[in-house]
Amino acid sequence: MADLRKSDPYMLSRDLTASARLNHQHYLWQQELQSLLHCSVPRPGPSAAIADVATGTGVWLLEAARQFPDIECLGLDISTEQCPPTAWVPSSVKFEAWSFFEEPPCSLRGKFDIVHIRLIGIVIEHDPMPVIRNIAMLLKPNGYLQWEEMNAAQYVIAPPNDTTKTEALHCMNDWMMAQGQSIWVPRVAETLNANGFHNAQRYDVGLDMSLLKYHTTVHVSVWAEIASGLPEGKRKEEFSRTVSKVQEEVKQGVGYGRAKYVFVAQRDE
């Protein structure tokens, strides 16, 4: 399938269905990661500040605010339309519009003890360095970055039997593998260590097969969002046909899921 990127690098929707999918996805990830913060990240003290970059619906940040009620929590995203209104959230939680493709405003530079990001690879095609530089500006010296992405190389396509078709899912997986992030994401730790961070580590998180049915739902929802957002034309028709075939395979009991990476690093002094 062709490259589907548009002038807006975010290929997904921000409507109510997309928000529900993001919230579902968050809780699935937490089932497998077991905690909001990796065990190598020190728990924040009362005066700490956390930023959740590409916060989406803000669900990760709100969970952090419940676990650490005495810290400052800021959710940042190019759009805050999926976030809850200020009146509904604790006073320690705020949301602001900011694109990580731009340098942060002076008011946010060097402010945060911890920066969390998840699944931004979908909008970074080949070179993560501009984004890494901008995110580093948010952190205090020796502050922690926790960055979570899919592991494109470790995936499961699981039919219920040997006769069930899986061609469409393999086609979709091949398309995902062809996107640029499948090349640079596995090397994020090395990239961070060479560019303003130290002690960067990659932690591999396997796929919990008991959750495969639910992960399948999320993946298919993502592909349907991409299809619906494409402009009319040949590539929309081609991609939509593949999504329809995937949905038929899933109805026959085929499952799809991917393992995950967690990267943890400290900003240089």
Side-chain angles (χ1 to χ4, degrees), residues 10-16 18-19 21-22 82 225 228:
Y10 189 68
M11 295 188 288
L12 305 179
S13 176
R14 296 185 177 94
D15 62 14
L16 292 175
S19 294
R21 189 259 309 157
L22 279 174
Q82 293 174 278
E225 283 180 41
S228 66

Side-chain angles (χ1 to χ4, degrees), residues 18 22 26 33 35 43 52 60 100 127 158 161 167 175-176 224 228-229 252 254 264:
L22 279 174
H26 164 76
L33 300 185
S35 63
R43 277 17 189 187
D52 183 32
W60 186 96
F100 52 64
D127 182 12
N161 53 60
E167 287 87 348
W175 172 76
M176 292 180 69
S228 66
Q252 298 303 313
V254 183
V264 176

Side-chain angles (χ1 to χ4, degrees), residues 175-248:
W175 172 76
M176 292 180 69
M177 289 289 291
Q179 306 308 300
Q181 61 265 28
S182 66
I183 298 172
W184 62 261
V185 164
R187 302 197 299 264
V188 162
E190 293 88 341
T191 303
L192 291 171
N193 277 329
N195 294 278
F197 288 84
H198 60 277
N199 295 336
Q201 298 289 330
R202 188 185 90 186
Y203 301 95
D204 294 354
V205 180
L207 176 65
D208 183 342
M209 288 297 290
S210 71
L211 300 174
L212 186 64
K213 178 75 172 180
Y214 313 109
H215 282 299
T216 304
T217 303
V218 169
H219 284 290
V220 175
S221 297
V222 166
W223 300 328
E225 283 180 41
I226 293 173
S228 66
L230 290 172
E232 295 300 325
K234 183 176 180 180
R235 65 176 183 172
K236 181 183 180 78
E237 294 173 4
E238 179 185 359
F239 195 82
S240 297
R241 279 197 301 270
T242 303
V243 171
S244 295
K245 292 177 181 178
V246 165
Q247 290 169 335
E248 287 302 314

Side-chain angles (χ1 to χ4, degrees), residues 15 27 34 60 64 72 92 94 96-97 116 145 159 201 206 223 226 240 244 250 265 267-268:
D15 62 14
Y27 289 111
Q34 297 295 308
W60 186 96
E72 179 181 351
S92 61
K94 292 185 171 50
E96 292 184 16
H116 171 262
L145 171 65
Q201 298 289 330
W223 300 328
I226 293 173
S240 297
S244 295
V250 169
R267 183 187 170 180
D268 290 344

